[in-house]
Amino acid sequence: MNDFTNEDAEKAFIEAYHMPTGMPKHEALERAARMSDALGHTPLGVSCRIALLDSAYYLSRYDLMLAPFAWALTAQEKDPEAFDDNERHRLDWAHKWIGSGLRRDPRFSLEQMQSVIGQLADRYGQRGYSVQPVHGARAEHAYHVGDMAGLAEHLGKYLATERGPMADCAACVVEEQVWMLARLGRFSEAAAHGWEGLSGETGCSTQPQGILTALLWPLLEIGEVERAAHAHTTAYRLIKEDDITSYVHEHIRFCALTGNIARGEEILRRSLHKVTAVQLPADEMSFAQSASVLLQRLPADTEFEVPSVGTLTAAELLSRLSTRAVELAKAFDARNGTSAWVTRVTEALEHADYPAVPLAVPSAPVVAVAEEPVVFGDPVEIAEAMVTLYDQGDFVKARRMLDSLPADMDSLLPPDLAAHAGIRRMTTGLVPFSPDEFDALLSALPHDLALRYRARMAIGVEGGQEIAERCLAEAESDFTRSVAALTLAELLDDAHAHEAAAEMLALASSLDVPELRGRVLVEAAEHRARQQDLEGAYTDILAAMAGSLPVSARFEGFRLQLRLETLLRRVDDAMATARAFVSAFPLPEAAEARWYQVASIQELDQEAACLSDLRDAVAISRTHLSPGHTAHFCFALSGGYVQMDRFVEAAEVLEESLRLLQDGQDDLRLQVVFRLGQVCRKLGELPAAERNLREASSLLPPEEVGRRAFLLDALASVQVRAHKHEEAIASWRAAAGLWQQEGDISEAIGSLIELASALPDEDVHETRAAVDEAESLLSSLDDPTEVTRRQAEITAIRAWVHGQAGEFALAMKNYRDAEAMVVSLGDEGWRVFIVLRSAHVLLGADDAEGAEAEARRAASLLPDDNQVANVLSVLSEALQRQNKPSGTDPLVRELTARLD
C-alpha cells in the first residue's frame, strides 16, 4: 500500500512544474510521474509526461524524451479521455521534436529516424493536420544524410504547403526554409525569402534572431555586405545572453570569415563553456567547427580560460576542437552510411575569407602612411630642415622630420637645434607641455627665436596679451613681429577689442613676411568672423583658399571655411568642404581634421547622410587620436544609426563610446547614457534603459531644469512599460513640476497627459486626477492653437474614462468635442483616430450599427494608409456583430487591397 495520496502526488507535480529549468526539475517530474503510476492516477501521469517532454526539450536532451513520449502514446491508445485538449495538442507538437532529436545524435539509428518521420506523417494525416511539418522533417533528413536531390524535392513541397495548427510559427518556418534554400545554393532566393519574413512582429522567442542568423550566409554569397552586418549585429544582440542557443556558433564563424576577428574572439570567450558542456552531438560539432574556423585566424599563443579544463592556447584549443568536430562528423557519417559530414566539416575548416564586412563599431583600418615617417640622414641636417619647414608653414613635412629625431638623440645636436626639437615635441603633443621645461629650452635659443615661440604659446594662457605685447616690443625681426601681431589680433578679438585687433592685422600685413602671407589672410577672415560678419568672412576665406597657401595656413583655412559654412547652414557646401579637408592632408594630420568634420556633421544634423564619414572617423581615431576622441566619434556615429532607426547598431556604438570615455568627459558621458537609455527603450531592453536614464539623471547639474524634466519623461515611459506604475507616476509628476518651474506650461501639460494615457485601465482615479491637473494649467498658455491641441488631448482622455465606466453617452459627447477641435487644427490622421475611438465606444454599448457607420466615416477620412489596418479591424468587428458578411463588403475589400 502506498504511503502517499493523490493529493500528495498532485502537490509533488505542481512543485516540480514550477521549478526552474534544469535536471533537478526533470528528476522531480520523474518522481511525480512514478507516484502517479503507483496510484493509478492516469490523468496526473499524462500531465507529468507532457511536462517531461517540455523539460527535456529545454534541456536539449532529446534522449530523455523517448520514455515519456512512448508512455504517452500508449496511454492515449488505452484512455484518450485522460488527455485534455491542451495535452493532446502538446503531445502532437512534441512528436516533431523526437525526429529532430534522433537526427542530431548519432547514437540513434537511421531506421529509428525514418520510423519516427513515418509515424509523424501517419499521425498528422489521421488528425487532418497540414503535412507541412512532415515535408520539413523529410527535407532536413535528406540534407542530413547528404541527399541533395531529396532536399530539393521535399523543400519544394515544404514551400508549397500551407501552414497548419502543428506547424511552427510563420517566422520559424521562414527560418527553416532560408537554411534549406542556402544549402541548395539558391542564395538570392534565400535572401529575398528571409528578408520578407522579417516584416512584422512574430511573438516568438527565437525570432527574428533565427531568420537573421540563417540570412548571414546567403547575404554574404550575393555580396549584400551591409545587410549581412545588420543581420549579425541585430541577431547577436538578441542571443548574446543565451548560454544554450546554437545560433551563436554561426556568429563566431561569421566574424572569423569577414575580418571581424576581435569580435569573434570576444564571442568565443563568452561561449567557452561549450567546450565541455554541449548536450547534443550535432550542436557540439557545430560549435567545435565554428570555433576552429576562428581559432585558425588567431595568434597561436592567445590564451583562453576554458571552464573545467584550464588555460589553453589558441593552438591547443584549435587542436582539441577541430579534432572533435571531425570525430563527430565521422560518427554521423558512420550512422548514415555517407561521407557528407566529414566533407562539410573539412570544407568549413578550409573556407576562404569573404570580403571584409564593416560592423556597427568600426575597427582601426590598416592604411599605408602617405609619406615615409622616418627620414634617414645626418641628425643635424634633419633638425635644420625641420626648423626651416616649420617656418615655411609646411607642418606635414616638418612633422616627418621631427618624428625622425628621437629625444635620446638630442644630445648629439647643437643646443639650439635640440631646443627646437624639444619645443616642437611639446607644441605638437608628442610629450606633455611643461612650462618649466619650455622656459629652459627657450634659454638655449637666440632671443628673437625664443620670443617667436613665446608669442605663439601666449594664446590660452593667463596674461597672454601682456606676453604677446612684450614679444612684439622686443622682437628683432619682421618674422617675429608678425607672429606676435597675429597672436595679439586673436587675443584682442577675444577681448572684443576689435579695432585694436585690426591694427595688429594691418601691422602683420604691412611687414609682408612671405612665409606668413597665407596666415595673415586666414587671420583677417577670422577677424571678420569674430565680429559676426559671417558672410564677409566667408567671402574672404574663399578668396584666400583660391590662392596658393602654405600647408599650415591651408589647414587653418579649411577649418575656418568649414566652420563658417556650418554657421551659415550651407549644408552641401559644408559636407563637401569637410571631405576635402580630411583628404587634403596625409595621416596623422588628417586625423585632426576629422574632429572638425564630425563637429560640423553633428551641428548640421547630417549624421545619417554622412554615416560612412563617421565610420571612417571612428576607425582612424583608434590609431591616430585618443580614446576620448574615439568615444566622441562613436557618439556622433550613433546619431546616424538613430536617425535611420537602426537602433541595434546605435546601442553597440554607444556601448563602445562608454567603454572609451576618459576622465573629464562628464558632459559626453551624460549624452551617451541618455541616448543609450532611449535606444534601449526602443529595443525593449527595459532594465538597461532604466539604468542608463537613471545614470543620466545623476549626471545632470541641478540647474538644468528643462533637461531633467525631459529625462524624467523618458524614464517614466520606460517604467510604465516595465509595469512600475507607481514609479512612473512619480517620474511624470516630477517632470510636470520641473516643466512648470522652467516656464514651459505646454510640456508640463504634456507630461500629465502622458501619465493619464499610459496608466492601466483600473487606475481611473489617478487618470482623472492627472487630466484635471492638466486642464487647470490650460489658462496659463498663451498660444490659442496650443490651447486647442492640449484641450483636444484632454477631452479625448476624458472620453476614454467615460467609456471605461460604461458612460457611453458622455464618452461620445467628449469624442465629438475632441473631433471638432482636431478638425480646427487640420490634423486628419488624429481625426481618424478619434472617430475610431468613437466606434469602439459604440461597440462597447452594443451599437454595432453605429460602430459600422463610424468605421466607414473613418475610412472616408483616411489621409494615407497608416491607419488602414485599424479601420479594417473595427469595421470587420462591427459587421461580424451584426452577422453581416465582411468578405463581400466593397469597403472591406478596398481596405484589404490597400493593406496588401
Side-chain angles (χ1 to χ4, degrees), residues 798-850:
R798 289 199 186 283
W800 177 84
V801 171
H802 288 308
Q804 289 297 109
E807 299 165 353
F808 302 121
L810 285 172
M812 288 302 296
K813 179 183 182 307
N814 276 277
Y815 276 131
R816 292 286 185 257
D817 291 345
E819 184 185 353
M821 286 181 266
V822 169
V823 169
S824 73
L825 294 169
D827 192 328
E828 288 302 306
W830 190 1
R831 184 183 183 187
V832 170
F833 174 80
I834 294 290
V835 173
L836 286 177
R837 297 309 301 172
S838 302
H840 278 289
V841 168
L842 292 170
L843 285 172
D846 291 328
D847 182 1
E849 185 178 353

Side-chain angles (χ1 to χ4, degrees), residues 685-730:
E685 299 172 1
L686 301 182
E690 184 172 7
R691 182 177 65 252
N692 283 293
L693 291 173
R694 285 193 181 281
E695 182 179 351
S697 180
S698 71
L699 293 169
L700 263 178
E703 64 272 14
E704 295 203 38
V705 176
R707 289 178 76 185
R708 185 174 296 280
F710 184 78
L711 194 153
L712 284 171
D713 279 330
L715 179 60
S717 69
V718 170
Q719 291 167 331
V720 79
R721 285 179 61 188
H723 305 294
K724 297 181 177 181
H725 297 117
E726 293 300 320
E727 294 179 39
I729 290 169

Side-chain angles (χ1 to χ4, degrees), residues 62 92 126 264 279 305 320 350 381 398 439 458 470 486 538 557 766 809 824 828 871:
Y62 292 84
D92 289 341
Q126 291 167 5
Q279 297 291 349
E305 291 298 323
R320 175 180 178 135
E350 295 174 353
E381 293 178 358
D439 289 342
R470 187 170 68 251
L486 290 170
Y538 188 51
E766 186 66 47
S824 73
E828 288 302 306
V871 175

Side-chain angles (χ1 to χ4, degrees), residues 425-702:
R425 289 192 196 99
M426 285 188 197
T427 58
T428 55
L430 290 174
V431 298
F433 182 81
S434 167
D436 292 339
E437 291 182 27
F438 181 67
D439 289 342
L441 291 168
L442 288 181
S443 67
L445 293 175
H447 184 60
D448 191 62
L449 286 178
L451 290 173
R452 194 177 303 172
Y453 278 121
R454 197 175 292 282
R456 284 175 171 143
M457 298 302 293
I459 295 173
V461 302
E462 188 176 353
Q465 185 174 328
E466 290 76 10
I467 293 171
E469 287 172 345
R470 187 170 68 251
C471 291
L472 179 60
E474 298 177 10
E476 300 168 4
S477 67
D478 285 350
F479 198 120
T480 301
R481 291 187 189 93
S482 295
V483 169
L486 290 170
T487 299
L488 271 171
E490 183 172 345
L491 290 167
L492 289 164
D493 268 334
D494 290 343
H496 304 289
H498 300 303
E499 290 186 10
E503 292 175 4
M504 290 297 103
L505 282 169
L507 173 60
S509 179
S510 67
L511 293 172
D512 195 26
V513 176
E515 297 89 343
L516 296 176
R517 287 170 186 161
R519 186 178 166 193
V520 171
L521 290 173
V522 173
E523 188 62 32
E526 284 269 19
H527 172 63
R528 295 188 75 168
R530 293 189 195 110
Q531 297 175 79
Q532 300 306 306
D533 180 5
L534 302 184
E535 291 289 355
Y538 188 51
T539 299
D540 287 353
I541 197 60
L542 288 180
M545 294 293 285
S548 177
L549 294 178
V551 175
S552 298
R554 183 160 293 277
F555 186 93
E556 291 302 315
F558 268 122
R559 181 193 59 76
L560 178 58
Q561 181 180 339
L562 177 58
R563 183 63 188 148
L564 288 169
E565 287 167 346
T566 301
L567 291 171
L568 293 167
R569 311 299 294 181
R570 297 175 181 264
V571 176
D572 292 341
D573 291 335
M575 296 302 97
T577 298
R579 292 182 182 122
F581 192 3
V582 300
S583 63
F585 305 93
L587 291 168
E589 288 77 18
E592 185 180 348
R594 292 281 178 180
W595 180 260
Y596 301 107
Q597 179 190 37
V598 170
S600 178
I601 289 171
Q602 286 183 287
E603 194 164 338
L604 293 172
D605 296 322
Q606 294 298 299
E607 290 96 328
C610 299
L611 202 66
S612 61
D613 298 288
L614 293 172
R615 291 177 57 83
D616 289 345
V618 171
I620 288 168
S621 70
R622 290 186 183 279
T623 300
H624 298 287
L625 295 173
S626 70
H629 282 89
T630 307
H632 184 95
F633 292 171
C634 281
F635 176 72
L637 177 58
S638 76
Y641 288 130
V642 168
Q643 289 175 3
M644 299 172 73
D645 291 339
R646 292 167 59 175
F647 297 111
V648 171
E649 288 99 327
E652 295 233 341
V653 177
L654 288 164
E655 287 165 353
E656 178 71 355
S657 182
L658 273 182
R659 189 181 70 80
L660 295 170
L661 281 169
Q662 306 292 290
D663 290 341
Q665 290 187 291
D666 291 345
D667 189 61
L668 179 57
R669 175 177 289 276
L670 168 61
Q671 296 177 68
V672 170
V673 295
F674 178 71
R675 181 175 287 173
L676 183 56
Q678 295 282 59
V679 166
C680 288
R681 178 171 67 91
K682 289 282 189 181
L683 293 173
E685 299 172 1
L686 301 182
E690 184 172 7
R691 182 177 65 252
N692 283 293
L693 291 173
R694 285 193 181 281
E695 182 179 351
S697 180
S698 71
L699 293 169
L700 263 178

Side-chain angles (χ1 to χ4, degrees), residues 106 275 281-293 296 317-333 340-349:
V275 174
D283 289 349
E284 184 183 359
M285 179 173 65
S286 167
F287 171 74
Q289 169 191 291
S290 295
S292 296
V293 173
Q296 290 173 338
L317 188 55
L318 171 61
S319 176
R320 175 180 178 135
L321 292 178
S322 60
T323 299
R324 183 59 177 156
V326 173
E327 285 176 354
L328 287 166
K330 288 179 178 178
F332 280 111
D333 284 345
W341 283 106
V342 168
T343 300
R344 289 166 186 162
V345 169
T346 302
E347 289 176 351
L349 294 176

